[in-house]
Amino acid sequence: DEYVPVNQFVDFDLQDILQNNLRNRGYVIPSPIQDQAIPVALTGMDVIGIAGTGTGKTAAFALPMLNRLITDKNSKAIIIAPTRELAQQIEQEIRLLAKGTGLSGVILIGGTSMGLQLRDLRHNPRIVIGTPGRIKDHINRGTLKLRNFNLIALDEVDRMLDMGFINDVTEILSNVNDIRQSFFFSATIDNKVRRLIDTFSKEPHMISLRPSAA
């Protein structure tokens, strides 16, 4: 079955600057996960997306997050990915979507200069993107305080847990604000993933995209 989107990007209740960036990048028709996740996320609900790589899931959580960061100056977002490559891809995508918004961010991954990360953290970034181990390093050093972070996204949760990050992720999520909006994206959901989501989300809206045969 060919998926027929309900919305176009222009239909989403996004700030003008985000709409301009989407238009400039030629985004017109959302992917299925974007079509279903963005309207729900813009209402402030927690979202669980069962979707694999290449489905456009980064924009599905990044656009609602950016919209909230623009409209609420006290909001801060943390995005956790299993590998530094994925963290870098997410950062590049968000940089393009957030162009001209003036939002500041930091990427916290292993294999890159701790000095630069410490410098960026001192500027009080509103968006933190990183891998569990390095984020936890900064929490332990006292260089990253998450209690004001009220937007969280976990990408490829199943892979993160397979890689043995369950304790790090649990500790990170225990540090963020109790009043928050959460996004969990995973290609599969097993009991471990389910338990983590149940612990750190409330009445989430679940969107499941079966991988297409193609």
mmCIF file of all heavy atoms in Angstrom, residues 67-105:
data_model
loop_
_atom_site.group_PDB
_atom_site.id
_atom_site.type_symbol
_atom_site.label_atom_id
_atom_site.label_comp_id
_atom_site.label_asym_id
_atom_site.label_seq_id
_atom_site.Cartn_x
_atom_site.Cartn_y
_atom_site.Cartn_z
ATOM 1 N N ASN A 67 10.456 24.242 17.270
ATOM 2 C CA ASN A 67 9.310 25.143 17.378
ATOM 3 C C ASN A 67 9.097 25.564 18.838
ATOM 4 O O ASN A 67 8.875 26.733 19.141
ATOM 5 C CB ASN A 67 8.063 24.437 16.849
ATOM 6 C CG ASN A 67 6.982 25.409 16.442
ATOM 7 O OD1 ASN A 67 7.120 26.149 15.479
ATOM 8 N ND2 ASN A 67 5.910 25.435 17.212
ATOM 9 N N ARG A 68 9.220 24.587 19.720
ATOM 10 C CA ARG A 68 9.041 24.861 21.158
ATOM 11 C C ARG A 68 10.192 25.728 21.697
ATOM 12 O O ARG A 68 9.969 26.636 22.492
ATOM 13 C CB ARG A 68 8.992 23.511 21.896
ATOM 14 C CG ARG A 68 8.922 23.594 23.396
ATOM 15 C CD ARG A 68 7.515 23.861 23.895
ATOM 16 N NE ARG A 68 7.522 23.907 25.355
ATOM 17 C CZ ARG A 68 7.383 22.840 26.134
ATOM 18 N NH1 ARG A 68 7.187 21.630 25.595
ATOM 19 N NH2 ARG A 68 7.405 22.957 27.450
ATOM 20 N N LEU A 69 11.403 25.470 21.233
ATOM 21 C CA LEU A 69 12.557 26.266 21.679
ATOM 22 C C LEU A 69 12.421 27.730 21.249
ATOM 23 O O LEU A 69 12.825 28.636 21.966
ATOM 24 C CB LEU A 69 13.858 25.672 21.126
ATOM 25 C CG LEU A 69 14.282 24.319 21.703
ATOM 26 C CD1 LEU A 69 15.374 23.692 20.840
ATOM 27 C CD2 LEU A 69 14.757 24.438 23.150
ATOM 28 N N ILE A 70 11.842 27.941 20.067
ATOM 29 C CA ILE A 70 11.659 29.310 19.568
ATOM 30 C C ILE A 70 10.553 30.019 20.349
ATOM 31 O O ILE A 70 10.678 31.188 20.704
ATOM 32 C CB ILE A 70 11.306 29.298 18.059
ATOM 33 C CG1 ILE A 70 12.486 28.768 17.230
ATOM 34 C CG2 ILE A 70 10.922 30.700 17.570
ATOM 35 C CD1 ILE A 70 12.113 28.413 15.794
ATOM 36 N N THR A 71 9.456 29.296 20.632
ATOM 37 C CA THR A 71 8.293 29.944 21.253
ATOM 38 C C THR A 71 8.417 30.024 22.770
ATOM 39 O O THR A 71 7.760 30.841 23.394
ATOM 40 C CB THR A 71 6.995 29.190 20.896
ATOM 41 O OG1 THR A 71 7.156 27.797 21.229
ATOM 42 C CG2 THR A 71 6.670 29.307 19.423
ATOM 43 N N ASP A 72 9.238 29.170 23.361
ATOM 44 C CA ASP A 72 9.403 29.185 24.817
ATOM 45 C C ASP A 72 10.884 29.304 25.146
ATOM 46 O O ASP A 72 11.638 28.333 25.062
ATOM 47 C CB ASP A 72 8.807 27.899 25.418
ATOM 48 C CG ASP A 72 9.125 27.744 26.897
ATOM 49 O OD1 ASP A 72 9.548 28.738 27.520
ATOM 50 O OD2 ASP A 72 8.957 26.624 27.427
ATOM 51 N N LYS A 73 11.278 30.509 25.533
ATOM 52 C CA LYS A 73 12.703 30.806 25.735
ATOM 53 C C LYS A 73 13.322 30.021 26.899
ATOM 54 O O LYS A 73 14.535 29.977 27.036
ATOM 55 C CB LYS A 73 12.906 32.311 25.986
ATOM 56 C CG LYS A 73 12.477 33.200 24.824
ATOM 57 C CD LYS A 73 13.423 33.084 23.632
ATOM 58 C CE LYS A 73 13.035 33.942 22.453
ATOM 59 N NZ LYS A 73 12.069 33.326 21.536
ATOM 60 N N ASN A 74 12.481 29.444 27.750
ATOM 61 C CA ASN A 74 13.021 28.684 28.887
ATOM 62 C C ASN A 74 13.225 27.209 28.566
ATOM 63 O O ASN A 74 13.759 26.464 29.388
ATOM 64 C CB ASN A 74 12.095 28.815 30.105
ATOM 65 C CG ASN A 74 12.063 30.246 30.606
ATOM 66 O OD1 ASN A 74 13.102 30.900 30.656
ATOM 67 N ND2 ASN A 74 10.886 30.744 30.940
ATOM 68 N N SER A 75 12.761 26.782 27.398
ATOM 69 C CA SER A 75 12.898 25.364 27.046
ATOM 70 C C SER A 75 14.326 25.037 26.612
ATOM 71 O O SER A 75 15.014 25.866 26.028
ATOM 72 C CB SER A 75 11.936 25.009 25.911
ATOM 73 O OG SER A 75 10.644 24.858 26.416
ATOM 74 N N LYS A 76 14.722 23.796 26.922
ATOM 75 C CA LYS A 76 16.013 23.271 26.458
ATOM 76 C C LYS A 76 15.806 21.828 26.022
ATOM 77 O O LYS A 76 14.983 21.116 26.598
ATOM 78 C CB LYS A 76 17.044 23.309 27.582
ATOM 79 C CG LYS A 76 17.529 24.695 27.940
ATOM 80 C CD LYS A 76 18.565 24.581 29.036
ATOM 81 C CE LYS A 76 19.365 25.858 29.202
ATOM 82 N NZ LYS A 76 20.458 25.665 30.154
ATOM 83 N N ALA A 77 16.590 21.406 25.035
ATOM 84 C CA ALA A 77 16.395 20.078 24.449
ATOM 85 C C ALA A 77 17.669 19.249 24.522
ATOM 86 O O ALA A 77 18.767 19.767 24.302
ATOM 87 C CB ALA A 77 15.960 20.217 22.988
ATOM 88 N N ILE A 78 17.506 17.957 24.800
ATOM 89 C CA ILE A 78 18.635 17.023 24.715
ATOM 90 C C ILE A 78 18.242 15.870 23.803
ATOM 91 O O ILE A 78 17.137 15.333 23.902
ATOM 92 C CB ILE A 78 19.099 16.526 26.101
ATOM 93 C CG1 ILE A 78 20.310 15.599 25.943
ATOM 94 C CG2 ILE A 78 17.970 15.855 26.882
ATOM 95 C CD1 ILE A 78 21.120 15.412 27.212
ATOM 96 N N ILE A 79 19.150 15.537 22.890
ATOM 97 C CA ILE A 79 18.916 14.460 21.921
ATOM 98 C C ILE A 79 20.042 13.445 22.075
ATOM 99 O O ILE A 79 21.221 13.806 22.005
ATOM 100 C CB ILE A 79 18.894 15.027 20.482
ATOM 101 C CG1 ILE A 79 17.759 16.053 20.346
ATOM 102 C CG2 ILE A 79 18.738 13.903 19.459
ATOM 103 C CD1 ILE A 79 17.886 16.966 19.149
ATOM 104 N N ILE A 80 19.664 12.199 22.307
ATOM 105 C CA ILE A 80 20.653 11.153 22.579
ATOM 106 C C ILE A 80 20.630 10.115 21.458
ATOM 107 O O ILE A 80 19.567 9.628 21.066
ATOM 108 C CB ILE A 80 20.357 10.456 23.932
ATOM 109 C CG1 ILE A 80 20.115 11.510 25.033
ATOM 110 C CG2 ILE A 80 21.502 9.526 24.335
ATOM 111 C CD1 ILE A 80 19.564 10.915 26.325
ATOM 112 N N ALA A 81 21.806 9.805 20.926
ATOM 113 C CA ALA A 81 21.944 8.844 19.831
ATOM 114 C C ALA A 81 22.992 7.801 20.217
ATOM 115 O O ALA A 81 23.898 8.101 20.999
ATOM 116 C CB ALA A 81 22.361 9.570 18.557
ATOM 117 N N PRO A 82 22.901 6.590 19.669
ATOM 118 C CA PRO A 82 23.822 5.533 20.087
ATOM 119 C C PRO A 82 25.262 5.705 19.618
ATOM 120 O O PRO A 82 26.193 5.275 20.282
ATOM 121 C CB PRO A 82 23.216 4.260 19.487
ATOM 122 C CG PRO A 82 22.326 4.718 18.392
ATOM 123 C CD PRO A 82 21.856 6.089 18.762
ATOM 124 N N THR A 83 25.462 6.354 18.459
ATOM 125 C CA THR A 83 26.826 6.447 17.906
ATOM 126 C C THR A 83 27.150 7.895 17.574
ATOM 127 O O THR A 83 26.261 8.716 17.323
ATOM 128 C CB THR A 83 26.956 5.641 16.597
ATOM 129 O OG1 THR A 83 26.087 6.216 15.611
ATOM 130 C CG2 THR A 83 26.583 4.171 16.802
ATOM 131 N N ARG A 84 28.446 8.191 17.529
ATOM 132 C CA ARG A 84 28.819 9.581 17.217
ATOM 133 C C ARG A 84 28.445 9.929 15.782
ATOM 134 O O ARG A 84 28.131 11.076 15.487
ATOM 135 C CB ARG A 84 30.303 9.829 17.500
ATOM 136 C CG ARG A 84 31.274 9.004 16.707
ATOM 137 C CD ARG A 84 32.711 9.374 17.055
ATOM 138 N NE ARG A 84 33.211 8.542 18.145
ATOM 139 C CZ ARG A 84 34.481 8.194 18.286
ATOM 140 N NH1 ARG A 84 35.379 8.625 17.441
ATOM 141 N NH2 ARG A 84 34.865 7.426 19.271
ATOM 142 N N GLU A 85 28.479 8.939 14.874
ATOM 143 C CA GLU A 85 28.099 9.221 13.473
ATOM 144 C C GLU A 85 26.647 9.701 13.411
ATOM 145 O O GLU A 85 26.332 10.669 12.723
ATOM 146 C CB GLU A 85 28.253 7.974 12.586
ATOM 147 C CG GLU A 85 29.681 7.509 12.379
ATOM 148 C CD GLU A 85 30.252 6.764 13.595
ATOM 149 O OE1 GLU A 85 29.476 6.195 14.389
ATOM 150 O OE2 GLU A 85 31.489 6.776 13.756
ATOM 151 N N LEU A 86 25.770 8.990 14.129
ATOM 152 C CA LEU A 86 24.357 9.382 14.103
ATOM 153 C C LEU A 86 24.170 10.742 14.790
ATOM 154 O O LEU A 86 23.422 11.587 14.308
ATOM 155 C CB LEU A 86 23.483 8.320 14.771
ATOM 156 C CG LEU A 86 21.970 8.599 14.725
ATOM 157 C CD1 LEU A 86 21.467 8.742 13.300
ATOM 158 C CD2 LEU A 86 21.179 7.506 15.448
ATOM 159 N N ALA A 87 24.878 10.960 15.888
ATOM 160 C CA ALA A 87 24.786 12.255 16.581
ATOM 161 C C ALA A 87 25.195 13.384 15.628
ATOM 162 O O ALA A 87 24.555 14.441 15.576
ATOM 163 C CB ALA A 87 25.672 12.253 17.828
ATOM 164 N N GLN A 88 26.251 13.143 14.837
ATOM 165 C CA GLN A 88 26.723 14.168 13.888
ATOM 166 C C GLN A 88 25.700 14.407 12.770
ATOM 167 O O GLN A 88 25.481 15.541 12.356
ATOM 168 C CB GLN A 88 28.081 13.766 13.306
ATOM 169 C CG GLN A 88 29.207 13.938 14.321
ATOM 170 C CD GLN A 88 30.501 13.233 13.902
ATOM 171 O OE1 GLN A 88 30.476 12.133 13.349
ATOM 172 N NE2 GLN A 88 31.626 13.869 14.171
ATOM 173 N N GLN A 89 25.081 13.313 12.294
ATOM 174 C CA GLN A 89 24.045 13.461 11.247
ATOM 175 C C GLN A 89 22.872 14.283 11.766
ATOM 176 O O GLN A 89 22.355 15.158 11.073
ATOM 177 C CB GLN A 89 23.517 12.088 10.822
ATOM 178 C CG GLN A 89 24.428 11.327 9.881
ATOM 179 C CD GLN A 89 23.957 9.877 9.725
ATOM 180 O OE1 GLN A 89 22.790 9.561 9.950
ATOM 181 N NE2 GLN A 89 24.866 8.989 9.377
ATOM 182 N N ILE A 90 22.448 13.987 13.002
ATOM 183 C CA ILE A 90 21.332 14.721 13.607
ATOM 184 C C ILE A 90 21.702 16.198 13.747
ATOM 185 O O ILE A 90 20.917 17.084 13.440
ATOM 186 C CB ILE A 90 20.956 14.114 14.984
ATOM 187 C CG1 ILE A 90 20.355 12.708 14.803
ATOM 188 C CG2 ILE A 90 19.973 15.020 15.735
ATOM 189 C CD1 ILE A 90 20.166 11.929 16.104
ATOM 190 N N GLU A 91 22.928 16.436 14.194
ATOM 191 C CA GLU A 91 23.379 17.820 14.386
ATOM 192 C C GLU A 91 23.361 18.589 13.060
ATOM 193 O O GLU A 91 22.919 19.739 13.007
ATOM 194 C CB GLU A 91 24.789 17.828 14.979
ATOM 195 C CG GLU A 91 25.187 19.181 15.552
ATOM 196 C CD GLU A 91 26.381 19.811 14.872
ATOM 197 O OE1 GLU A 91 26.918 19.237 13.907
ATOM 198 O OE2 GLU A 91 26.757 20.908 15.304
ATOM 199 N N GLN A 92 23.828 17.941 11.984
ATOM 200 C CA GLN A 92 23.853 18.613 10.669
ATOM 201 C C GLN A 92 22.436 18.948 10.201
ATOM 202 O O GLN A 92 22.177 20.039 9.693
ATOM 203 C CB GLN A 92 24.551 17.720 9.637
ATOM 204 C CG GLN A 92 26.066 17.706 9.817
ATOM 205 C CD GLN A 92 26.732 16.486 9.170
ATOM 206 O OE1 GLN A 92 26.060 15.646 8.582
ATOM 207 N NE2 GLN A 92 28.034 16.397 9.296
ATOM 208 N N GLU A 93 21.526 17.992 10.388
ATOM 209 C CA GLU A 93 20.139 18.195 9.973
ATOM 210 C C GLU A 93 19.506 19.342 10.775
ATOM 211 O O GLU A 93 18.847 20.229 10.221
ATOM 212 C CB GLU A 93 19.360 16.890 10.191
ATOM 213 C CG GLU A 93 17.877 16.998 9.952
ATOM 214 C CD GLU A 93 17.459 16.582 8.553
ATOM 215 O OE1 GLU A 93 18.306 16.143 7.761
ATOM 216 O OE2 GLU A 93 16.261 16.711 8.264
ATOM 217 N N ILE A 94 19.734 19.351 12.085
ATOM 218 C CA ILE A 94 19.145 20.384 12.941
ATOM 219 C C ILE A 94 19.736 21.745 12.609
ATOM 220 O O ILE A 94 19.032 22.756 12.595
ATOM 221 C CB ILE A 94 19.316 20.020 14.433
ATOM 222 C CG1 ILE A 94 18.348 18.877 14.765
ATOM 223 C CG2 ILE A 94 19.069 21.233 15.337
ATOM 224 C CD1 ILE A 94 18.363 18.418 16.195
ATOM 225 N N ARG A 95 21.016 21.776 12.303
ATOM 226 C CA ARG A 95 21.667 23.037 11.921
ATOM 227 C C ARG A 95 20.964 23.659 10.702
ATOM 228 O O ARG A 95 20.742 24.868 10.651
ATOM 229 C CB ARG A 95 23.130 22.736 11.583
ATOM 230 C CG ARG A 95 24.042 23.922 11.578
ATOM 231 C CD ARG A 95 25.453 23.446 11.296
ATOM 232 N NE ARG A 95 26.146 23.012 12.489
ATOM 233 C CZ ARG A 95 26.716 23.834 13.357
ATOM 234 N NH1 ARG A 95 26.654 25.133 13.162
ATOM 235 N NH2 ARG A 95 27.339 23.374 14.420
ATOM 236 N N LEU A 96 20.593 22.820 9.737
ATOM 237 C CA LEU A 96 19.903 23.314 8.537
ATOM 238 C C LEU A 96 18.473 23.749 8.856
ATOM 239 O O LEU A 96 18.014 24.793 8.406
ATOM 240 C CB LEU A 96 19.886 22.224 7.455
ATOM 241 C CG LEU A 96 21.251 21.871 6.857
ATOM 242 C CD1 LEU A 96 21.188 20.570 6.074
ATOM 243 C CD2 LEU A 96 21.772 22.999 5.972
ATOM 244 N N LEU A 97 17.777 22.946 9.669
ATOM 245 C CA LEU A 97 16.390 23.271 10.003
ATOM 246 C C LEU A 97 16.300 24.523 10.873
ATOM 247 O O LEU A 97 15.331 25.271 10.807
ATOM 248 C CB LEU A 97 15.722 22.093 10.734
ATOM 249 C CG LEU A 97 15.501 20.811 9.930
ATOM 250 C CD1 LEU A 97 15.016 19.685 10.831
ATOM 251 C CD2 LEU A 97 14.504 21.037 8.797
ATOM 252 N N ALA A 98 17.330 24.749 11.715
ATOM 253 C CA ALA A 98 17.298 25.854 12.684
ATOM 254 C C ALA A 98 18.000 27.110 12.180
ATOM 255 O O ALA A 98 18.198 28.060 12.934
ATOM 256 C CB ALA A 98 17.953 25.405 13.987
ATOM 257 N N LYS A 99 18.379 27.109 10.919
ATOM 258 C CA LYS A 99 19.137 28.235 10.342
ATOM 259 C C LYS A 99 18.433 29.569 10.622
ATOM 260 O O LYS A 99 17.241 29.712 10.389
ATOM 261 C CB LYS A 99 19.239 28.002 8.833
ATOM 262 C CG LYS A 99 20.352 28.776 8.193
ATOM 263 C CD LYS A 99 20.513 28.357 6.741
ATOM 264 C CE LYS A 99 21.402 29.397 6.059
ATOM 265 N NZ LYS A 99 21.191 29.460 4.647
ATOM 266 N N GLY A 100 19.187 30.510 11.145
ATOM 267 C CA GLY A 100 18.632 31.842 11.378
ATOM 268 C C GLY A 100 17.823 31.999 12.659
ATOM 269 O O GLY A 100 17.317 33.088 12.935
ATOM 270 N N THR A 101 17.677 30.934 13.431
ATOM 271 C CA THR A 101 16.875 31.037 14.665
ATOM 272 C C THR A 101 17.704 31.582 15.827
ATOM 273 O O THR A 101 17.154 31.987 16.848
ATOM 274 C CB THR A 101 16.333 29.664 15.104
ATOM 275 O OG1 THR A 101 17.448 28.777 15.333
ATOM 276 C CG2 THR A 101 15.416 29.057 14.051
ATOM 277 N N GLY A 102 19.039 31.515 15.686
ATOM 278 C CA GLY A 102 19.890 31.973 16.780
ATOM 279 C C GLY A 102 19.982 30.986 17.930
ATOM 280 O O GLY A 102 20.576 31.290 18.966
ATOM 281 N N LEU A 103 19.406 29.797 17.769
ATOM 282 C CA LEU A 103 19.484 28.794 18.839
ATOM 283 C C LEU A 103 20.913 28.240 18.912
ATOM 284 O O LEU A 103 21.520 27.949 17.890
ATOM 285 C CB LEU A 103 18.508 27.644 18.574
ATOM 286 C CG LEU A 103 17.016 27.990 18.679
ATOM 287 C CD1 LEU A 103 16.176 26.849 18.127
ATOM 288 C CD2 LEU A 103 16.635 28.281 20.131
ATOM 289 N N SER A 104 21.412 28.093 20.136
ATOM 290 C CA SER A 104 22.782 27.600 20.295
ATOM 291 C C SER A 104 22.756 26.117 20.661
ATOM 292 O O SER A 104 21.827 25.647 21.322
ATOM 293 C CB SER A 104 23.477 28.375 21.412
ATOM 294 O OG SER A 104 22.717 28.252 22.604
ATOM 295 N N GLY A 105 23.768 25.403 20.217
ATOM 296 C CA GLY A 105 23.814 23.979 20.501
ATOM 297 C C GLY A 105 25.223 23.494 20.758
ATOM 298 O O GLY A 105 26.198 24.194 20.503
#
